[in-house]
Amino acid sequence: MNRAVIFDLYETLVTENHPEFRTDVPPHERLGLTQEDFDRERTAHYHARMTGKFPDYSSLLREICRACKVVPPKDEISLMQVERLAAKARPFERVDPRIIEMLQTFKRTNYRIGVISNCTYDEIAAWESSPLSKQVDVPIFSCMEGIAKPAPAIYQLACDRLGIESDAVIFVGDGGSDELNGAAAAGLKPIWATWFIEAWPWDWVTKVAGSAHTFPRCRKISDLSILIDSMI
């Protein structure tokens, strides 16, 4: 095997945005915060979250409350931690069968399979029990490596562990975190996957189009193997 496909995880191999996954009460209300304050602090800690500086969701929530000088309701953060783990397991329990079939097709045709995900420990707690884990040769999770997309080093790390030179590697992602430009900078061939981000009523396509539209776009899972074969 001298070629590989590396996938982003969220909104590429699994989706978190099925309407059934939505919660009724947003976290800022449960903590007694405004949406603005919660979003500001969560964004400010984005890199720290993705690179494993927070061991779990509850530690992030406590830091947000501390920064905003708010005392959360008793036991609320502990409850939110339990609910977070359950919520983050749902996408792995409902992996689209077309995704598994696609990965199996690549493996049958001698592609190595990798994953690079910007994620927290909570978000990938259910990874090992998911059907995806059995199809992926090399998973790279930012929280475990201390590196996050779009840093070229995380793509090179994946290529090194796969044992494939970067110019023989395709990177497939929905375009978040400027991941496609990061992949290109590391010498990989990026593809913009929009099969999930077009499925739900949210404006992610427009949000990422500025940095993603210059790359080949794949709108259907079933079309990916044909597109990739034309690029290798």
mmCIF file of all heavy atoms in Angstrom, residues 142-161:
data_model
loop_
_atom_site.group_PDB
_atom_site.id
_atom_site.type_symbol
_atom_site.label_atom_id
_atom_site.label_comp_id
_atom_site.label_asym_id
_atom_site.label_seq_id
_atom_site.Cartn_x
_atom_site.Cartn_y
_atom_site.Cartn_z
ATOM 1 N N SER A 142 -6.371 15.479 17.980
ATOM 2 C CA SER A 142 -5.590 16.644 18.398
ATOM 3 C C SER A 142 -5.370 16.692 19.899
ATOM 4 O O SER A 142 -4.286 17.070 20.363
ATOM 5 C CB SER A 142 -6.273 17.930 17.924
ATOM 6 O OG SER A 142 -7.543 18.088 18.549
ATOM 7 N N CYS A 143 -6.377 16.328 20.685
ATOM 8 C CA CYS A 143 -6.246 16.410 22.144
ATOM 9 C C CYS A 143 -5.169 15.471 22.664
ATOM 10 O O CYS A 143 -4.542 15.738 23.698
ATOM 11 C CB CYS A 143 -7.578 16.104 22.818
ATOM 12 S SG CYS A 143 -8.285 14.479 22.420
ATOM 13 N N MET A 144 -4.926 14.373 21.957
ATOM 14 C CA MET A 144 -3.915 13.409 22.386
ATOM 15 C C MET A 144 -2.519 13.760 21.881
ATOM 16 O O MET A 144 -1.516 13.346 22.477
ATOM 17 C CB MET A 144 -4.309 12.012 21.907
ATOM 18 C CG MET A 144 -5.572 11.475 22.535
ATOM 19 S SD MET A 144 -5.931 9.790 21.980
ATOM 20 C CE MET A 144 -7.379 9.409 22.987
ATOM 21 N N GLU A 145 -2.465 14.513 20.781
ATOM 22 C CA GLU A 145 -1.170 14.826 20.174
ATOM 23 C C GLU A 145 -0.652 16.212 20.538
ATOM 24 O O GLU A 145 0.523 16.512 20.324
ATOM 25 C CB GLU A 145 -1.275 14.722 18.644
ATOM 26 C CG GLU A 145 -1.805 13.389 18.139
ATOM 27 C CD GLU A 145 -0.916 12.214 18.507
ATOM 28 O OE1 GLU A 145 0.261 12.430 18.832
ATOM 29 O OE2 GLU A 145 -1.402 11.062 18.453
ATOM 30 N N GLY A 146 -1.531 17.081 21.051
ATOM 31 C CA GLY A 146 -1.117 18.444 21.377
ATOM 32 C C GLY A 146 -0.898 19.307 20.156
ATOM 33 O O GLY A 146 -0.232 20.344 20.239
ATOM 34 N N ILE A 147 -1.449 18.904 19.011
ATOM 35 C CA ILE A 147 -1.359 19.658 17.760
ATOM 36 C C ILE A 147 -2.754 19.680 17.148
ATOM 37 O O ILE A 147 -3.473 18.683 17.215
ATOM 38 C CB ILE A 147 -0.409 19.003 16.731
ATOM 39 C CG1 ILE A 147 0.866 18.502 17.373
ATOM 40 C CG2 ILE A 147 -0.093 19.967 15.591
ATOM 41 C CD1 ILE A 147 1.690 17.603 16.470
ATOM 42 N N ALA A 148 -3.117 20.802 16.538
ATOM 43 C CA ALA A 148 -4.444 20.897 15.939
ATOM 44 C C ALA A 148 -4.357 21.399 14.504
ATOM 45 O O ALA A 148 -3.426 22.133 14.143
ATOM 46 C CB ALA A 148 -5.337 21.828 16.765
ATOM 47 N N LYS A 149 -5.322 20.979 13.689
ATOM 48 C CA LYS A 149 -5.448 21.541 12.349
ATOM 49 C C LYS A 149 -5.707 23.044 12.461
ATOM 50 O O LYS A 149 -6.402 23.466 13.390
ATOM 51 C CB LYS A 149 -6.619 20.874 11.605
ATOM 52 C CG LYS A 149 -6.436 19.399 11.329
ATOM 53 C CD LYS A 149 -7.650 18.773 10.646
ATOM 54 C CE LYS A 149 -8.860 18.696 11.545
ATOM 55 N NZ LYS A 149 -9.989 17.937 10.941
ATOM 56 N N PRO A 150 -5.155 23.836 11.572
ATOM 57 C CA PRO A 150 -4.508 23.490 10.300
ATOM 58 C C PRO A 150 -2.991 23.411 10.340
ATOM 59 O O PRO A 150 -2.353 23.535 9.288
ATOM 60 C CB PRO A 150 -4.952 24.646 9.398
ATOM 61 C CG PRO A 150 -4.957 25.835 10.316
ATOM 62 C CD PRO A 150 -5.455 25.300 11.643
ATOM 63 N N ALA A 151 -2.390 23.206 11.508
ATOM 64 C CA ALA A 151 -0.929 23.127 11.576
ATOM 65 C C ALA A 151 -0.418 21.991 10.682
ATOM 66 O O ALA A 151 -0.877 20.849 10.825
ATOM 67 C CB ALA A 151 -0.478 22.905 13.011
ATOM 68 N N PRO A 152 0.507 22.257 9.772
ATOM 69 C CA PRO A 152 1.007 21.198 8.885
ATOM 70 C C PRO A 152 1.555 19.994 9.629
ATOM 71 O O PRO A 152 1.509 18.870 9.123
ATOM 72 C CB PRO A 152 2.110 21.909 8.083
ATOM 73 C CG PRO A 152 1.698 23.348 8.065
ATOM 74 C CD PRO A 152 1.066 23.583 9.421
ATOM 75 N N ALA A 153 2.042 20.202 10.853
ATOM 76 C CA ALA A 153 2.665 19.098 11.599
ATOM 77 C C ALA A 153 1.698 17.959 11.873
ATOM 78 O O ALA A 153 2.103 16.794 11.925
ATOM 79 C CB ALA A 153 3.244 19.623 12.911
ATOM 80 N N ILE A 154 0.408 18.255 12.040
ATOM 81 C CA ILE A 154 -0.530 17.180 12.362
ATOM 82 C C ILE A 154 -0.796 16.305 11.134
ATOM 83 O O ILE A 154 -0.979 15.091 11.244
ATOM 84 C CB ILE A 154 -1.846 17.730 12.956
ATOM 85 C CG1 ILE A 154 -2.605 16.611 13.689
ATOM 86 C CG2 ILE A 154 -2.716 18.407 11.902
ATOM 87 C CD1 ILE A 154 -3.741 17.100 14.566
ATOM 88 N N TYR A 155 -0.754 16.901 9.959
ATOM 89 C CA TYR A 155 -0.917 16.118 8.727
ATOM 90 C C TYR A 155 0.330 15.257 8.479
ATOM 91 O O TYR A 155 0.214 14.093 8.082
ATOM 92 C CB TYR A 155 -1.143 17.042 7.530
ATOM 93 C CG TYR A 155 -2.321 17.967 7.680
ATOM 94 C CD1 TYR A 155 -2.167 19.247 8.207
ATOM 95 C CD2 TYR A 155 -3.595 17.579 7.284
ATOM 96 C CE1 TYR A 155 -3.242 20.106 8.338
ATOM 97 C CE2 TYR A 155 -4.683 18.434 7.407
ATOM 98 C CZ TYR A 155 -4.497 19.695 7.938
ATOM 99 O OH TYR A 155 -5.562 20.549 8.070
ATOM 100 N N GLN A 156 1.486 15.841 8.729
ATOM 101 C CA GLN A 156 2.724 15.081 8.543
ATOM 102 C C GLN A 156 2.809 13.918 9.520
ATOM 103 O O GLN A 156 3.283 12.830 9.170
ATOM 104 C CB GLN A 156 3.941 15.994 8.708
ATOM 105 C CG GLN A 156 5.261 15.344 8.322
ATOM 106 C CD GLN A 156 5.271 14.855 6.889
ATOM 107 O OE1 GLN A 156 5.015 15.629 5.968
ATOM 108 N NE2 GLN A 156 5.553 13.558 6.681
ATOM 109 N N LEU A 157 2.334 14.144 10.731
ATOM 110 C CA LEU A 157 2.307 13.068 11.727
ATOM 111 C C LEU A 157 1.461 11.904 11.222
ATOM 112 O O LEU A 157 1.854 10.737 11.341
ATOM 113 C CB LEU A 157 1.748 13.602 13.045
ATOM 114 C CG LEU A 157 1.586 12.582 14.175
ATOM 115 C CD1 LEU A 157 2.933 12.011 14.593
ATOM 116 C CD2 LEU A 157 0.886 13.236 15.381
ATOM 117 N N ALA A 158 0.303 12.219 10.655
ATOM 118 C CA ALA A 158 -0.572 11.167 10.133
ATOM 119 C C ALA A 158 0.093 10.422 8.982
ATOM 120 O O ALA A 158 0.044 9.190 8.915
ATOM 121 C CB ALA A 158 -1.896 11.767 9.686
ATOM 122 N N CYS A 159 0.727 11.155 8.078
ATOM 123 C CA CYS A 159 1.418 10.514 6.946
ATOM 124 C C CYS A 159 2.536 9.609 7.441
ATOM 125 O O CYS A 159 2.719 8.489 6.937
ATOM 126 C CB CYS A 159 1.969 11.569 5.996
ATOM 127 S SG CYS A 159 0.713 12.505 5.100
ATOM 128 N N ASP A 160 3.281 10.084 8.424
ATOM 129 C CA ASP A 160 4.387 9.286 8.967
ATOM 130 C C ASP A 160 3.865 7.990 9.577
ATOM 131 O O ASP A 160 4.447 6.911 9.366
ATOM 132 C CB ASP A 160 5.149 10.087 10.026
ATOM 133 C CG ASP A 160 5.947 11.246 9.442
ATOM 134 O OD1 ASP A 160 6.138 11.266 8.204
ATOM 135 O OD2 ASP A 160 6.366 12.123 10.211
ATOM 136 N N ARG A 161 2.791 8.054 10.329
ATOM 137 C CA ARG A 161 2.248 6.850 10.975
ATOM 138 C C ARG A 161 1.603 5.901 9.959
ATOM 139 O O ARG A 161 1.584 4.690 10.171
ATOM 140 C CB ARG A 161 1.256 7.243 12.069
ATOM 141 C CG ARG A 161 1.952 7.910 13.253
ATOM 142 C CD ARG A 161 1.014 8.147 14.405
ATOM 143 N NE ARG A 161 1.699 8.862 15.482
ATOM 144 C CZ ARG A 161 1.120 9.339 16.573
ATOM 145 N NH1 ARG A 161 -0.190 9.165 16.739
ATOM 146 N NH2 ARG A 161 1.813 9.984 17.491
#
